[in-house]
């Protein structure tokens, strides 16, 4: 059975609390015992030292002091456990010689340097008469105040139990709140897997979980946009294919049934629609390769003037049935750019065809080239057509996007030209967009980076 992350967090919280409480209890208990021990040592040593000074004052020597030590030990330190648990008293003369006991005690508790340093000097009339050393390494001082220590221990146990209960309560409250974003994210993920991309996760904090929620919402929105775009593209492709296929099928069925004569005009219609289908397939192939970064590019250093001259604008104008003035306005001495001439001419020719198609009789198309700054050359294609609604300017570069009736394709082209143009410009490290001109018409603008090599 899978254990939830909430349960795991509660267990971790409880485990950490138990470890901390145990450490605090142990340290508090040890500190208490040490404090009591130091207190009773001080309380015991001072009277013994005064008693020994009085003994020396009366006897004027340490002769027979062993009997006094026996009385002191029986009176002040009741026996407990083994000999190793008993405290030991040492008496040294002014030269550091051992006066009591005459030999090392049986419990093996020998003096150390720190014991000598911590010894109590015995002074009579301002004169040092010896040193008292008190060693109590294993002595249990609880026998001196069992009720007091028992109360202290009960208090520590009560505090520890209360802390454990508090840890459990806090864990049960905090763990679900901490894991709520994860549960919401899990639910949203399951909804997305089921196809519901509209489900959003509420961003509750500015930490990593909040950042994860924001990233998930962004991903969901982008997926929703891509799926919608894919559906729209599929519908658009089906729509674009339906008309030429219907015309081809209609004519071939008519010929087969004898309804339509097998004439040159009929074959021309079929050929035109077949060419339109082929153009659509080629454009789709070009666009998919461009967007995938697989479209072959042959970059060379070239000037924008050369690109525009390769459009052969006078010849293009002479071949058209509509009277439209086509001119250029190119700044002299423009810096070179690095571009694939064939692909950039493809972009410019597509923009020229679009501009010509939407420019009315006796209208004007102008190619303008300027140096925007030290790093950019700007090329714009301006026409005097009807323009585009402001909220549609960005979307005209989408696949098969249709604007309002003023700039419809009227059955001409595949509807992919501007999308291909944007992909090719992107591959050149440039930017393309459209703006409505204040005096009327549309301006398609391309920014291309200057070649610094």
């Amino acid at each position: 059975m899978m254990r939830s992350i909430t349960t795991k967090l509660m267990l971790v919280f409880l485990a950490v609390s138990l470890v901390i409480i145990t450490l605090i209890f142990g340290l508090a208990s040890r500190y208490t015992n040490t404090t009591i021990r130091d207190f009773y040592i001080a309380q015991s040593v001072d009277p013994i030292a005064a008693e020994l000074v009085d003994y020396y004052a009366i006897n004027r020597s340490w002769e027979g002091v062993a009997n006094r030590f026996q009385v002191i030990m029986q009176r002040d330190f009741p026996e407990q456990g083994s000999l190793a648990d008993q405290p030991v008293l040492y008496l040294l003369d002014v030269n550091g010689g051992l006066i009591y006991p005459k030999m090392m005690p049986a419990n093996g508790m020998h003096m150390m340097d720190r014991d000598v340093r911590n010894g109590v000097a015995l002074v009579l009339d301002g004169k040092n008469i010896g040193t008292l050393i008190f060693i109590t390494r294993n002595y249990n001082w609880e026998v001196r105040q069992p009720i007091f220590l028992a109360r202290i221990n009960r208090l520590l146990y009560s505090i520890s139990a209360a802390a454990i209960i508090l840890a459990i309560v806090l864990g049960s409250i905090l763990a679900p709140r901490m894991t709520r974003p994860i549960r919401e994210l899990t639910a949203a993920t399951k909804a997305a897997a089921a196809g519901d991309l509209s489900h959003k996760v509420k961003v509750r904090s500015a930490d990593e979980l909040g950042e994860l929620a924001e990233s998930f919402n962004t991903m969901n929105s982008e997926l929703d946009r891509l799926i919608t775009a894919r559906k729209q593209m599929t519908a658009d492709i089906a729509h674009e294919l339906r008309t030429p296929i219907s015309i081809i099928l209609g004519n071939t069925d008519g010929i087969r049934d004898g309804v339509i004569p097998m004439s040159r005009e009929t074959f021309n219609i079929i050929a035109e629609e077949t060419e339109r289908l082929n153009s659509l397939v080629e454009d789709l192939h070009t666009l998919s390769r461009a967007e995938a970064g697989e479209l072959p590019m042959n970059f060379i250093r070239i000037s924008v003037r050369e690109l525009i001259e390769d459009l052969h604008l006078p010849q293009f104008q002479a071949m058209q049935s509509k009277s439209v003035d086509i001119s250029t306005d190119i700044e002299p001495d423009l810096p070179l750019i690095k571009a694939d001439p064939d692909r950039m001419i493809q972009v410019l020719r597509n923009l020229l065809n679009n501009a010509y198609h939407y420019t009315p009789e006796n209208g004007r198309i102008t190619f303008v080239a300027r140096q925007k700054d030290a790093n950019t050359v700007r090329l714009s294609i301006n026409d005097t057509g009807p323009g585009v609604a402001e909220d549609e300017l960005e979307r005209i570069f989408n696949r098969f996007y249709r604007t309002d009736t003023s700039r419809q394709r009227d059955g001409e082209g595949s509807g992919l030209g501007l999308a291909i143009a944007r992909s090719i410009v992107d591959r050149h490290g440039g930017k393309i967009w459209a703006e409505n001109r204040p005096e009327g018409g549309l301006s398609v603008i391309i920014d291309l980076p200057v070649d610094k090599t």
Side-chain angles (χ1 to χ4, degrees), residues 29-30 32-34 36-37 40 78 80 138-150 152-153:
S29 178
R30 182 174 180 179
T32 302
N33 289 328
T34 302
I36 292 175
R37 172 182 174 276
Y40 278 115
Q80 54 174 265
N138 299 322
Y139 187 68
N140 183 11
W141 290 96
E142 292 183 11
V143 300
R144 306 298 296 269
Q145 284 290 341
I147 297 177
F148 173 74
L149 288 174
I152 292 294
N153 287 332

Side-chain angles (χ1 to χ4, degrees), residues 282-301:
E282 286 295 325
D283 285 349
L284 281 171
H285 181 63
T286 299
L287 181 59
S288 64
R289 295 185 68 186
E291 291 182 342
E294 298 175 355
L295 193 64
M297 294 282 182
N298 180 28
F299 290 97
I300 63 171
R301 301 179 76 229

Side-chain angles (χ1 to χ4, degrees), residues 415-453:
L416 296 171
L418 291 179
I420 293 173
R422 181 171 62 180
S423 294
I424 292 175
V425 171
D426 287 345
R427 285 287 305 278
H428 283 73
K431 182 181 178 183
I432 183 171
W433 72 98
E435 295 177 356
N436 284 315
R437 303 174 66 208
E439 62 271 28
L442 187 71
S443 178
V444 179
I445 304 168
I446 301 174
D447 278 353
L448 294 171
V450 171
D451 180 36
K452 297 289 189 177
T453 59

Side-chain angles (χ1 to χ4, degrees), residues 5-225:
I5 191 170
T6 302
T7 305
K8 291 179 181 178
L9 280 176
M10 289 181 61
L11 292 176
V12 169
F13 192 82
L14 180 60
V16 172
S17 301
L18 287 174
V19 171
I20 294 175
I21 291 169
T22 302
L23 288 174
I24 293 175
F25 177 83
L27 292 173
S29 178
R30 182 174 180 179
Y31 176 78
T32 302
N33 289 328
T34 302
T35 303
I36 292 175
R37 172 182 174 276
D38 294 341
F39 172 77
Y40 278 115
I41 288 176
Q43 292 290 315
S44 300
V45 170
D46 290 344
I48 294 173
E51 188 175 343
L52 290 175
V53 170
D54 290 342
Y55 179 89
Y56 189 90
I58 294 171
N59 296 282
R60 288 301 176 181
S61 72
W62 293 117
E63 188 70 28
V65 76
N67 293 329
R68 179 55 60 91
F69 271 105
Q70 291 177 0
V71 172
I72 292 172
M73 293 297 295
Q74 292 175 359
R75 180 191 66 204
D76 295 343
F77 305 104
E79 293 185 4
Q80 54 174 265
S82 64
L83 288 174
D85 297 328
Q86 291 298 110
V88 175
L89 292 173
Y90 289 94
L91 179 61
L92 307 180
D93 60 21
V94 293
N95 298 317
L98 185 62
I99 297 175
Y100 176 86
K102 293 298 183 181
M103 60 179 63
M104 287 298 172
N107 63 6
M109 197 176 298
H110 304 296
M111 285 187 295
M112 299 181 181
D113 291 340
R114 69 170 183 270
D115 297 324
V116 176
R117 289 193 300 271
N118 295 330
V120 178
L122 303 178
V123 180
L124 178 62
D125 299 331
K127 182 181 178 182
N128 189 3
I129 59 175
T131 302
L132 176 64
I133 298 174
F134 192 21
I135 303 176
T136 59
R137 294 189 181 93
N138 299 322
Y139 187 68
N140 183 11
W141 290 96
E142 292 183 11
V143 300
R144 306 298 296 269
Q145 284 290 341
I147 297 177
F148 173 74
L149 288 174
R151 288 177 178 175
I152 292 294
N153 287 332
R154 282 199 299 271
L155 178 62
L156 291 174
Y157 282 124
S158 299
I159 293 174
S160 300
I164 292 173
I165 294 173
L166 181 61
I168 294 174
V169 172
L170 289 177
S172 62
I173 295 174
L174 295 178
R177 295 190 62 176
M178 293 172 63
T179 57
R180 181 189 299 174
I182 299 177
R183 295 196 303 272
E184 292 176 347
L185 187 60
T186 301
T189 304
K190 291 180 179 179
D196 180 13
L197 296 176
S198 62
H199 196 85
K200 302 296 182 184
V201 179
K202 186 175 181 180
V203 179
R204 300 181 179 276
S205 60
D207 55 13
E208 290 83 353
L209 288 176
E211 185 178 356
L212 180 61
E214 288 181 354
S215 299
F216 178 84
N217 291 337
T218 301
M219 179 193 71
N220 242 18
S221 299
E222 185 64 16
L223 281 175
D224 189 35
R225 186 189 68 80

Side-chain angles (χ1 to χ4, degrees), residues 322 324 354-361 363-365 381-388 406-407 436-437 439-443:
K322 187 168 52 177
V324 174
N354 279 350
Y356 180 84
H357 180 71
Y358 296 116
T359 300
E361 185 77 25
R364 185 174 64 259
I365 298 173
I381 297 90
N382 307 323
D383 66 45
T384 55
V388 175
S406 63
R407 290 189 78 101
N436 284 315
R437 303 174 66 208
E439 62 271 28
L442 187 71
S443 178

